Amino acid sequence: MDSKDKELLNIVQDQIPLCARPFRKIGEQLGLGERQVLYRLQHLKDNGYIRRIGGIFNSRKLGYTSTLCAMKVPSERIEEVAAIINIYPGVTHNYIRKHSYNMWFTLIEKSNEAIEATLLDIRRKTHIDAILNLPAEKVFKINVNFDMKGQETGDR
């Protein structure tokens, strides 16, 4: 990763312009062409530096509800169960923890009833009943950007 890649990563964390050609605009900032920006982003994604590029929306303001779920998954079934859970479009994160409830995921749906229906479907498809539905009682939202020069930058 060179200094241009690091600058590019700083920009795409929260400064993607809302315009018809955002990557051209970013290229202008960096002294690169649009294709060079897209190539660099693809290279960074292919090498695991970028997981995804996309908008972050306030799901509650849009009328959605979310929950954190914890599931007891036999270690030999982790990959299989993760593949099933990750099919659902409302699953935004899915990760493993060292705990008896070892698979944790977030789920966003239009209503609490839709969340319950999705969890029922997951139970049916995985044959695992040990799923906890842990809706937030109070929401704490932080935003952390990483300065690619080696510093974390603030909570906004």
Side-chain angles (χ1 to χ4, degrees), residues 48-112:
Y49 293 102
I50 296 173
R51 184 174 47 212
R52 68 178 282 279
I53 293 178
I56 299 172
F57 301 94
N58 184 332
S59 57
R60 286 180 181 214
K61 283 203 177 227
L62 293 170
Y64 288 82
T65 188
S66 65
T67 191
L68 176 65
C69 301
M71 189 172 184
K72 284 186 182 182
V73 179
S75 59
E76 68 275 5
R77 294 191 60 209
I78 293 287
E79 295 293 326
E80 169 203 348
V81 173
I84 292 168
I85 290 170
N86 292 344
I87 289 170
Y88 293 88
V91 171
T92 61
H93 298 79
N94 186 354
Y95 48 96
I96 299 302
R97 288 192 161 173
K98 291 182 182 178
H99 189 273
S100 61
Y101 282 88
N102 55 348
M103 185 172 290
W104 292 65
F105 57 96
T106 56
L107 178 60
I108 299 174
E109 294 285 357
K110 197 68 174 153
S111 66
N112 286 324

Side-chain angles (χ1 to χ4, degrees), residues 2 18 20 38 43-44 104 107 136:
D2 66 14
L18 295 176
L38 291 168
H43 180 76
L44 290 166
W104 292 65
L107 178 60

Side-chain angles (χ1 to χ4, degrees), residues 19-46:
C19 63
R21 305 292 291 266
F23 301 109
R24 177 190 291 169
K25 189 90 166 160
I26 290 170
E28 290 169 5
Q29 286 179 256
L30 297 172
L32 299 170
E34 181 179 36
R35 285 181 193 236
Q36 290 173 299
V37 169
L38 291 168
Y39 172 81
R40 284 175 179 267
L41 288 171
Q42 187 63 54
H43 180 76
L44 290 166
K45 185 174 184 203
D46 291 345

